[in-house]
Amino acid sequence: MGKKNKATSEEALAPSSMKKQKTTSVQAEPEGSNATAASRATNNGAPPHKKAKPHRKRSNSNSSNAGQHDVANAFSAVQPPLSPSILSFLSAPPYNFPTMTPVQATTIPLFLTHHDVFVRAVTGSGKTLAFLIPVVEMILRRTALLRPNQIGALVLEPTRELARQTYNVCKDLCAACGMNEPLLLVGGTSNEKTKGSVSATSHDLQQFQRLASDILIGTPGRVEDVLTRYDNIDVSELEVLILDESDVLLDMGFEVTLTSILSRLPRMRRTGLFSATNTTEVKRLCVKSGMRNPVVVDVAVSVIQNKDDAPTKAAPHDSKRSDGKQQATPSTLTNYYVICPLDEKLSRLVSFIHQHSNEKMIIFFLTCACVEYYSAVLKELDLPCKGFEYEALHGKLVQKRREKAMERFREKKSSAVLLCTDVAARGLDVPDVSWTIQFDAPVDPSSYVHRVGRSARAGRFGNSLVFLTRKEDAYIDFLKLRKVPVMELPDSEVCKPPNMEDGDDCEQKKNKQTSVDAEESVVEQRIIQSSVSGATIPDVLPKIRKMVLRDRDILEKGTKAYTSYIRAYKEHQCGFIFRFASLDLGVLATSFSLLRLPKMPELRDKLGKLNFQAAGPEINIHAIPFIDKHREAARQKRLAAELAAGGKNAKQIKAEERAAERIRKQKERRQAEIAKGRNPNKKRGKQARIFDEWDDLAKEERLWKKLKMNKISKEEYDRLMYGETNAKGDGESDDSGDDSS
Ligand SMILES: Nc1ncnc2c1ncn2[C@@H]1O[C@H](COP(=O)(O)OP(=O)(O)OP(=O)(O)O)[C@@H](O)[C@H]1O
């Protein structure tokens, strides 16, 4: 049974800290639910849009059957009234939205009555339509026709994914209203790759000419490029500027670009700032964006627990929420944390994923390199199960791969995992995500609210989980101070995965296992005890060690992930909670299954003091090959050149090879002793060793004679003399390689 949140709603125009600034506060039932009307109106027709094709005439089918409350919040009740074509669009599939969300009910009338707006509303509360509807309506209402090279509105988004998502909604809306297609301006198009950014921009301009777009939607970099380098786009008639995710757009990273864009736009325009986290620096952001007298709209979520509510499957543990408290995350979202050591995080994550095998989840990591590493590892770990689809998304991927990953993740209805950086933290609207997992807490604390907001959208239930170490647990109080209700993950959620019980072959490992060969010697299987119930979780690190020894790609990805993690951790804006000095760099290296520590300044004074067990000299790291044959061939070529050139690197490679060879021979001798029934640990006297050597020589001579008399083949001779490996010509011991670090 669903949890009901009774809404108290009020609209209050109160003086804010800013002079002459109005604040509209709405305590609202959350996202996707009915809003209390800010304005009411009858559904009159609107003046036609000048440049566009004729409007489609469709009536709003929803308003007549709605209850009184719904009627008040119906889009058809907005004052000044919306165009019939917009109403038809909203009431038709796939939208079927008869009523407004609180943020829409408040913002649309304000915008349409020529106010600048500064809007903060929780994630998934419908902010996109809260700005797209007035943008389109304003263009439809224009009395003077826009010329083909003129635009009426500009929407800026911080990421390409978000720009495309907003563009898709806007495109549908424009089509429904008989308007020209908007223009999407984002970087990373294939054109850009092949022909350079100049031709990519001219491609955009050609598109613009062809479409005669009234609305531009894009990321700041590309928009600036198009507006500053060419004057094909006339912005003199621009009426509306929208900065979606305004706090990040007005942040340092985009500052110069944004100032350059703003300087080209007319001063007489409406500006809208939208985000789920932006109220703290209202004044600064308003001044920066050129707003003069904005109305601050703050749609707060007020949670009132209904006694009769039973926990639901989607939000099973939210009964602890206190009545009437405001919170920064949707009321349908339950936030959890789990505290565990760094080197247990991955095992717990794997168990968690298996436990939620039918669901769709997004996992956030600290860096692009971490996403690359964990997606490679998780895919490999899951191969025998063939259950999940893992998609990676981060800023260093080429645009095509980013788009494809997003597309596949959207399409998959269940058992899908998106591994990403904060590039997917803001704005992405994938309705059926049931869990967001923060494997690493975000560097920017405001990202937390955006990350968790990828679930529990538009009134749906959802959950989030953040992994912390014991030293980072102050983050929990920090979140509570920021009005994020968060509780410990119940132990039932981190218990052993079902396949351990089922006898499935995915994860069958015994408690402890040690073995003798070089690969296995570093593999020791252990189990992780779940803190409360005593349930066990298989430790996946030994398996990953094996992968590392098999495929250089995993080794290199792990090393890159480790170094990038350390550098990103140092940048934590909550440095008083995520203290670099407290980060256990040794255990961190174990968590990435490193064989040796990389050379980096952060480790310079710490080597030897860290809690890290490097792989012994018997493991020749240079000999670990890439499974990918082409990459391996290229590496071998590089190595040969390096060895031929001599130098420091070559010397080190050779020294490591010699050490590994020495260990290999020692091992062979031990095995020979055991085969002869002797104790390999017992020290033998000089004379005994001489007798052994004579025995060996006599054996070799006998073999040589047999070969000469054709009693054994050359292969047989090699096998008996040198053992299985060398007889087959396995050149592993001759391999050498560059240091992964
Ligand atoms: N009036 C409405 N009724 C029902 N659902 C709606 C309504 N308006 C928007 N939605 C749906 O709500 C979901 C979230 O909307 P949207 O992406 O605009 O949220 P947002 O507030 O911008 O979130 P974020 O802060 O994460 O960017 C979308 O799937 C959208 O289609």
Short mmCIF file of all heavy atoms in Angstrom, two decimals, residues 32 75 95 97 99-101 104 121-129 165 245 276 426-429 431 450 453-454 457-458 460, ligand 1:
data_model
loop_
_atom_site.label_atom_id
_atom_site.label_comp_id
_atom_site.label_asym_id
_atom_site.label_seq_id
_atom_site.Cartn_x
_atom_site.Cartn_y
_atom_site.Cartn_z
N GLY A 32 4.71 15.51 -9.12
CA GLY A 32 3.82 14.61 -9.83
C GLY A 32 2.41 14.62 -9.27
O GLY A 32 1.47 14.13 -9.87
N PHE A 75 -4.08 22.54 -15.94
CA PHE A 75 -3.35 23.44 -16.84
C PHE A 75 -4.32 24.42 -17.50
O PHE A 75 -3.98 25.56 -17.79
CB PHE A 75 -2.61 22.63 -17.92
CG PHE A 75 -1.32 22.01 -17.43
CD1 PHE A 75 -1.23 20.66 -17.16
CD2 PHE A 75 -0.20 22.80 -17.23
CE1 PHE A 75 -0.05 20.09 -16.72
CE2 PHE A 75 1.01 22.24 -16.78
CZ PHE A 75 1.07 20.89 -16.52
N TYR A 95 2.00 12.16 -22.44
CA TYR A 95 2.02 12.96 -21.21
C TYR A 95 0.79 12.75 -20.35
O TYR A 95 0.88 12.39 -19.19
CB TYR A 95 2.26 14.44 -21.56
CG TYR A 95 3.62 14.63 -22.20
CD1 TYR A 95 3.76 14.70 -23.59
CD2 TYR A 95 4.77 14.65 -21.43
CE1 TYR A 95 5.01 14.82 -24.18
CE2 TYR A 95 6.02 14.77 -22.01
CZ TYR A 95 6.14 14.85 -23.38
OH TYR A 95 7.38 14.96 -23.96
N PHE A 97 -1.12 14.78 -18.77
CA PHE A 97 -1.01 15.51 -17.50
C PHE A 97 -2.20 16.46 -17.36
O PHE A 97 -2.17 17.57 -17.90
CB PHE A 97 0.28 16.34 -17.45
CG PHE A 97 1.55 15.56 -17.54
CD1 PHE A 97 2.70 16.16 -18.02
CD2 PHE A 97 1.62 14.23 -17.12
CE1 PHE A 97 3.89 15.46 -18.09
CE2 PHE A 97 2.81 13.52 -17.19
CZ PHE A 97 3.93 14.13 -17.69
N THR A 99 -3.24 17.84 -14.49
CA THR A 99 -3.00 18.86 -13.45
C THR A 99 -1.53 19.23 -13.35
O THR A 99 -0.65 18.46 -13.73
CB THR A 99 -3.46 18.35 -12.07
OG1 THR A 99 -2.84 17.10 -11.84
CG2 THR A 99 -4.96 18.25 -11.99
N MET A 100 -1.32 20.40 -12.78
CA MET A 100 0.06 20.90 -12.66
C MET A 100 0.70 20.38 -11.37
O MET A 100 0.00 20.14 -10.39
CB MET A 100 0.04 22.42 -12.60
CG MET A 100 -0.36 23.06 -13.89
SD MET A 100 -0.44 24.85 -13.73
CE MET A 100 -1.99 25.08 -12.91
N THR A 101 1.99 20.30 -11.39
CA THR A 101 2.71 20.06 -10.14
C THR A 101 2.84 21.44 -9.46
O THR A 101 2.65 22.48 -10.11
CB THR A 101 4.11 19.48 -10.42
OG1 THR A 101 4.87 20.44 -11.13
CG2 THR A 101 4.03 18.18 -11.18
N GLN A 104 4.95 23.99 -11.19
CA GLN A 104 4.35 24.49 -12.44
C GLN A 104 3.24 25.48 -12.13
O GLN A 104 3.13 26.54 -12.76
CB GLN A 104 3.81 23.31 -13.26
CG GLN A 104 4.92 22.42 -13.81
CD GLN A 104 4.46 21.04 -14.24
OE1 GLN A 104 3.29 20.68 -14.06
NE2 GLN A 104 5.36 20.27 -14.79
N ALA A 121 12.98 23.81 -6.56
CA ALA A 121 11.99 22.78 -6.25
C ALA A 121 12.68 21.43 -6.32
O ALA A 121 13.61 21.25 -7.12
CB ALA A 121 10.84 22.83 -7.25
N VAL A 122 12.21 20.50 -5.52
CA VAL A 122 12.92 19.20 -5.42
C VAL A 122 13.05 18.52 -6.78
O VAL A 122 12.32 18.84 -7.72
CB VAL A 122 12.23 18.20 -4.45
CG1 VAL A 122 12.47 18.56 -3.02
CG2 VAL A 122 10.80 18.01 -4.81
N THR A 123 13.96 17.58 -6.83
CA THR A 123 14.18 16.82 -8.06
C THR A 123 12.90 16.09 -8.47
O THR A 123 12.12 15.67 -7.62
CB THR A 123 15.29 15.78 -7.83
OG1 THR A 123 14.95 15.03 -6.65
CG2 THR A 123 16.64 16.42 -7.64
N GLY A 124 12.72 15.99 -9.76
CA GLY A 124 11.59 15.24 -10.30
C GLY A 124 10.25 15.91 -10.10
O GLY A 124 9.20 15.27 -10.18
N SER A 125 10.25 17.22 -9.84
CA SER A 125 8.99 17.89 -9.54
C SER A 125 8.38 18.58 -10.76
O SER A 125 7.39 19.28 -10.65
CB SER A 125 9.20 18.91 -8.41
OG SER A 125 10.20 19.83 -8.77
N GLY A 126 8.98 18.40 -11.93
CA GLY A 126 8.38 18.93 -13.16
C GLY A 126 8.86 20.32 -13.54
O GLY A 126 8.11 21.08 -14.17
N LYS A 127 10.10 20.63 -13.22
CA LYS A 127 10.61 21.97 -13.53
C LYS A 127 10.76 22.18 -15.05
O LYS A 127 10.60 23.29 -15.54
CB LYS A 127 11.96 22.20 -12.83
CG LYS A 127 11.84 22.28 -11.31
CD LYS A 127 13.12 22.69 -10.65
CE LYS A 127 14.17 21.60 -10.62
NZ LYS A 127 13.81 20.42 -9.80
N THR A 128 11.05 21.10 -15.76
CA THR A 128 11.27 21.26 -17.21
C THR A 128 10.04 21.86 -17.89
O THR A 128 10.14 22.83 -18.64
CB THR A 128 11.61 19.88 -17.85
OG1 THR A 128 12.62 19.27 -17.06
CG2 THR A 128 12.08 20.02 -19.27
N LEU A 129 8.88 21.30 -17.61
CA LEU A 129 7.67 21.87 -18.22
C LEU A 129 7.34 23.22 -17.60
O LEU A 129 6.72 24.06 -18.25
CB LEU A 129 6.49 20.91 -18.07
CG LEU A 129 6.49 19.74 -19.06
CD1 LEU A 129 5.30 18.81 -18.78
CD2 LEU A 129 6.44 20.22 -20.50
N GLN A 165 17.75 15.82 -23.52
CA GLN A 165 16.48 15.44 -22.90
C GLN A 165 15.47 16.60 -22.96
O GLN A 165 14.31 16.41 -23.34
CB GLN A 165 16.76 15.06 -21.44
CG GLN A 165 15.56 14.53 -20.69
CD GLN A 165 15.96 14.19 -19.26
OE1 GLN A 165 16.61 13.18 -19.02
NE2 GLN A 165 15.58 15.02 -18.32
N GLU A 245 19.36 24.09 -13.95
CA GLU A 245 20.46 23.75 -13.04
C GLU A 245 21.33 24.98 -12.87
O GLU A 245 22.56 24.95 -13.03
CB GLU A 245 21.28 22.56 -13.57
CG GLU A 245 20.49 21.33 -13.94
CD GLU A 245 19.78 20.68 -12.76
OE1 GLU A 245 20.16 20.96 -11.61
OE2 GLU A 245 18.82 19.92 -12.99
N ALA A 276 17.26 22.33 -8.19
CA ALA A 276 16.76 21.72 -6.95
C ALA A 276 17.58 22.22 -5.76
O ALA A 276 17.23 22.01 -4.62
CB ALA A 276 16.86 20.19 -7.05
N ARG A 426 22.54 15.36 -12.57
CA ARG A 426 21.52 16.40 -12.63
C ARG A 426 20.54 16.19 -13.77
O ARG A 426 20.93 15.93 -14.89
CB ARG A 426 22.17 17.76 -12.81
CG ARG A 426 22.82 18.28 -11.54
CD ARG A 426 23.57 19.54 -11.80
NE ARG A 426 24.15 20.07 -10.58
CZ ARG A 426 23.61 21.05 -9.87
NH1 ARG A 426 22.47 21.59 -10.23
NH2 ARG A 426 24.19 21.48 -8.76
N GLY A 427 19.30 16.32 -13.42
CA GLY A 427 18.25 16.48 -14.42
C GLY A 427 17.80 15.25 -15.18
O GLY A 427 16.69 15.24 -15.70
N LEU A 428 18.62 14.21 -15.26
CA LEU A 428 18.22 13.09 -16.11
C LEU A 428 16.94 12.46 -15.60
O LEU A 428 16.79 12.18 -14.42
CB LEU A 428 19.32 12.04 -16.19
CG LEU A 428 20.55 12.43 -17.00
CD1 LEU A 428 21.47 11.24 -17.18
CD2 LEU A 428 20.17 13.00 -18.36
N ASP A 429 16.03 12.23 -16.53
CA ASP A 429 14.70 11.76 -16.16
C ASP A 429 14.49 10.37 -16.73
O ASP A 429 14.07 10.21 -17.88
CB ASP A 429 13.67 12.76 -16.70
CG ASP A 429 12.26 12.41 -16.26
OD1 ASP A 429 12.08 12.12 -15.07
OD2 ASP A 429 11.36 12.41 -17.11
N PRO A 431 12.29 7.35 -15.62
CA PRO A 431 11.25 7.17 -14.60
C PRO A 431 11.39 5.94 -13.71
O PRO A 431 11.09 6.01 -12.54
CB PRO A 431 9.95 7.07 -15.42
CG PRO A 431 10.29 7.56 -16.77
CD PRO A 431 11.75 7.37 -16.97
N HIS A 450 21.00 15.99 -6.03
CA HIS A 450 20.71 15.75 -7.44
C HIS A 450 20.87 14.27 -7.78
O HIS A 450 20.06 13.71 -8.51
CB HIS A 450 21.63 16.59 -8.31
CG HIS A 450 21.34 18.06 -8.20
ND1 HIS A 450 20.33 18.67 -8.89
CD2 HIS A 450 21.91 19.02 -7.43
CE1 HIS A 450 20.30 19.96 -8.58
NE2 HIS A 450 21.25 20.20 -7.70
N GLY A 453 18.08 12.25 -6.59
CA GLY A 453 16.86 12.65 -7.31
C GLY A 453 16.65 11.95 -8.63
O GLY A 453 15.65 12.17 -9.30
N ARG A 454 17.60 11.06 -9.04
CA ARG A 454 17.35 10.29 -10.27
C ARG A 454 16.34 9.18 -10.02
O ARG A 454 15.88 8.53 -10.94
CB ARG A 454 18.64 9.66 -10.81
CG ARG A 454 19.75 10.59 -11.24
CD ARG A 454 19.29 11.77 -12.02
NE ARG A 454 19.19 12.95 -11.18
CZ ARG A 454 18.31 13.93 -11.34
NH1 ARG A 454 17.40 13.88 -12.30
NH2 ARG A 454 18.27 14.96 -10.54
N ARG A 457 10.95 9.93 -8.90
CA ARG A 457 10.56 11.09 -9.69
C ARG A 457 9.06 11.12 -9.94
O ARG A 457 8.43 10.08 -10.03
CB ARG A 457 11.33 11.10 -11.02
CG ARG A 457 12.82 11.17 -10.80
CD ARG A 457 13.59 11.18 -12.09
NE ARG A 457 13.40 12.40 -12.86
CZ ARG A 457 13.92 13.58 -12.55
NH1 ARG A 457 14.63 13.71 -11.45
NH2 ARG A 457 13.73 14.62 -13.32
N ALA A 458 8.54 12.31 -10.02
CA ALA A 458 7.12 12.53 -10.34
C ALA A 458 6.20 11.71 -9.44
O ALA A 458 5.27 11.06 -9.92
CB ALA A 458 6.87 12.22 -11.81
N ARG A 460 6.74 8.99 -7.80
CA ARG A 460 7.01 7.54 -7.64
C ARG A 460 7.86 7.32 -6.38
O ARG A 460 8.51 8.24 -5.90
CB ARG A 460 7.79 7.02 -8.83
CG ARG A 460 6.98 6.98 -10.10
CD ARG A 460 7.85 6.40 -11.23
NE ARG A 460 7.13 6.45 -12.48
CZ ARG A 460 7.10 7.51 -13.28
NH1 ARG A 460 7.75 8.61 -12.94
NH2 ARG A 460 6.42 7.50 -14.41
N1 LIG B 1 2.03 17.99 -14.40
C1 LIG B 1 2.63 16.84 -14.36
N2 LIG B 1 1.98 15.75 -13.96
C2 LIG B 1 2.59 14.54 -13.90
N3 LIG B 1 3.88 14.32 -14.24
C3 LIG B 1 4.61 15.38 -14.66
C4 LIG B 1 4.02 16.68 -14.74
N4 LIG B 1 4.98 17.52 -15.19
C5 LIG B 1 6.10 16.80 -15.39
N5 LIG B 1 5.87 15.51 -15.07
C6 LIG B 1 6.85 14.39 -15.16
O1 LIG B 1 7.69 14.44 -14.03
C7 LIG B 1 8.97 13.92 -14.34
C8 LIG B 1 10.05 14.83 -13.79
O2 LIG B 1 10.00 16.06 -14.45
P1 LIG B 1 11.30 16.94 -14.68
O3 LIG B 1 12.35 16.15 -15.35
O4 LIG B 1 10.87 18.19 -15.33
O5 LIG B 1 11.73 17.21 -13.16
P2 LIG B 1 12.75 18.28 -12.60
O6 LIG B 1 12.07 18.99 -11.51
O7 LIG B 1 13.33 19.08 -13.70
O8 LIG B 1 13.84 17.33 -11.96
P3 LIG B 1 15.41 17.58 -11.74
O9 LIG B 1 15.55 18.56 -10.64
O10 LIG B 1 15.91 16.25 -11.40
O11 LIG B 1 15.93 18.10 -13.04
C9 LIG B 1 9.04 13.79 -15.86
O12 LIG B 1 8.96 12.42 -16.21
C10 LIG B 1 7.81 14.54 -16.33
O13 LIG B 1 7.29 14.00 -17.53
#
